[in-house]
Amino acid sequence: MAIGRIHVIGAGVAGLAAAVRLAQDGHKVVLYDSAGQAGGRCRSYFDAHLERRIDNGNHLMLSGNWAIRDYLQTVGAADSLTGPDDASFPFRDLRTGDTWTVTPDPGRVPWSVLFGAGRVPGTSLSEYLRIRHLACAGPEDTVQDCLAGPGTLFEKFWEPLAVGVLNTPVDTASARLLWPVVKETFGRGRAACKPLMARAGLSESFVDPALDYLAAKGAEVCFNNRLRALDLGDGQVRALDFAGATKVLDPGDQVVLAVPAWAAADLLPGLNGPQASHAIVNAHFRLTGPVPAAPPLVGLVGGTAQWVFLRDDVASVTVSAADALAAEANEAIAMRLWPEVQAALGLADGPLPPWRIVKEKRATISQTPAEDRRRPAPRTAWHNLVLAGDWTATGLPATIEGSIRSGFRAADMVVTSLSSS
Ligand SMILES: Cc1cc2nc3c(=O)[nH]c(=O)nc-3n(C[C@H](O)[C@H](O)[C@H](O)COP(=O)(O)OP(=O)(O)OC[C@H]3O[C@@H](n4cnc5c(N)ncnc54)[C@H](O)[C@@H]3O)c2cc1C
């Protein structure tokens, strides 16, 4: 069979990762997106009110995320992430003003936790040993089932971490989805759990370099092209129906569908994938006074926000699993979160500075055991169609790392099916 084009639908990080890997292998790639830009839920833009470039939402990554590393290396953006010099996670309790820092040990064995010096103040060894319940969590176990109990470690570390990673309340979030993240990062010692953020912006790290790379490889990129329907028959995709034009596929053409779960459900009959989602609310504040000498990332407990990020003079707050908050008025959210930023960064009392609230109502799928079971494998019943996206069954939470791995996996499957046909 002739080797045709590979049509990648959706230019979020999953679609970009698939397109990059395929273009790297010398395949003819056409990448489409319904929006006028790439990046999907992971992008940056200039905010005219703040007069700053901001991300749609702060994205926290960890140095153990190997697929992120591979992807950035390929597109020439390996040095576009930044973070604290060491793998440390400073926290603040907004009720008491207490502060503490979680600093993982250098090696796989957490000696300092075992002997006491490295423990969060007021926590006991038995609280750390609960991690074994996470390691052997059953299919229905939640993060709370495995890690909560007497003591304060759950509230002071696991809960903000888990809500941030899984964007799902801890009493419903799947323990089995948190474990691979902990194993691949904290389980490998300090070098694998350094927090990382985009230095200039998410688009500058994940999107623009990838588009440049694809252009250099001769890939075609088509924005403002919404796939309206797939023409399915004879066990394959026969044509792509875009709003405005139908593209009949040639023999040997392949399709990677890398759209979000809710868009895929409209396109693929009988998909039956995840249906529930949770919101993430981000508040960006442009500081008007001197920029504090604060860490770039501070974890919060006892308030509304879980994490505060500081990039130049913009302080950004993330609230995950924020469905109720997202229903509130933007001004009320800004008023509620600004005092938390002031406390986290040690800012003097002052009026609300210029702010922007970004509500992503369907930020990720709900990562409960039941929804996780609905995540589909990439291979479909149509021989020239594979799925990618953070919502497919990657065994990981819906994160950038999971999205990129899903894109790589879809690309590898396409290559395998091309070489066997
Ligand atoms: C506010 C927020 C904060 C987050 N924080 C973190 C974090 O701290 N760390 C982390 O690792 N992850 C985080 N995530 C998750 C991460 O952003 C996502 O997992 C990832 O971006 C999903 O990428 P994707 O390519 O799978 O999907 P998307 O980014 O949704 O990409 C899908 C693309 O398909 C396009 N599309 C949709 N329908 C069609 C159609 N019919 N035809 C053509 N194109 C179509 C869309 O326009 C979009 O560009 C966060 C997400 C949000 C929203």
Side-chain angles (χ1 to χ4, degrees), residues 122-295:
T123 60
S124 64
L125 179 59
S126 63
E127 294 179 67
Y128 291 85
L129 296 179
R130 280 187 210 130
I131 197 167
R132 68 190 190 283
H133 300 310
L134 193 66
C136 32
E140 298 302 327
D141 287 341
T142 66
V143 169
Q144 183 165 292
D145 292 336
C146 294
L147 295 172
T152 57
L153 183 66
F154 184 68
E155 188 201 31
K156 285 181 162 172
F157 179 62
W158 287 119
E159 185 167 9
L161 181 81
V163 175
V165 169
L166 297 169
N167 187 31
T168 301
V170 282
D171 58 344
T172 56
S174 162
R176 280 202 170 170
L177 279 179
L178 183 61
W179 173 242
V181 177
V182 172
K183 191 170 91 176
E184 291 186 10
T185 56
F186 291 88
R188 292 201 173 140
R190 193 174 291 168
C193 41
K194 186 173 157 176
L196 293 172
M197 292 141 270
R199 187 191 304 281
L202 291 169
S203 291
E204 285 80 352
S205 290
F206 290 95
V207 183
D208 302 343
L211 293 176
D212 290 346
Y213 180 88
L214 291 172
K217 293 280 179 189
E220 236 183 289
V221 180
C222 313
F223 294 135
N224 300 307
N225 264 263
R226 187 174 74 80
L227 183 68
R228 209 165 39 184
L230 292 161
D231 174 14
L232 301 163
D234 310 325
Q236 60 183 322
V237 182
R238 293 185 298 211
L240 303 171
D241 172 9
F242 291 100
T246 297
K247 192 170 283 282
V248 177
L249 300 191
D250 291 326
D253 278 8
Q254 299 274 332
V255 180
V256 175
L257 188 64
V259 300
W262 42 94
D266 290 343
L267 292 164
L268 270 184
L271 178 65
N272 205 19
Q275 290 168 349
S277 58
H278 289 298
I280 297 180
V281 172
N282 270 267
H284 303 275
F285 300 95
R286 177 161 59 77
L287 305 181
T288 47
V291 176

Side-chain angles (χ1 to χ4, degrees), residues 34-117:
S34 52
Q37 79 278 320
R41 284 171 279 152
C42 175
R43 67 187 191 286
S44 319
Y45 48 87
F46 183 77
D47 184 287
H49 176 59
L50 294 180
E51 297 178 318
R52 294 289 182 276
R53 225 173 132 69
I54 57 170
D55 295 336
N56 66 314
N58 312 300
H59 280 59
L60 176 62
M61 295 151 273
L62 293 166
S63 47
N65 293 153
W66 62 260
I68 289 180
R69 229 177 24 241
D70 274 19
Y71 172 84
L72 293 179
Q73 183 80 39
T74 304
V75 301
D79 61 356
S80 69
L81 302 184
T82 186
D85 293 336
D86 57 350
S88 62
F89 295 80
F91 280 92
R92 180 179 195 94
D93 187 327
L94 291 164
R95 294 158 305 195
T96 61
D98 288 349
T99 59
W100 63 94
T101 299
V102 174
T103 308
D105 279 291
R108 285 165 192 260
V109 181
W111 295 111
S112 72
V113 166
L114 296 176
F115 291 105

Side-chain angles (χ1 to χ4, degrees), residues 302-316:
T304 300
Q306 289 103 20
W307 299 95
V308 175
F309 296 72
L310 182 63
R311 185 199 288 162
D312 302 324
D313 62 352
V314 177
S316 303

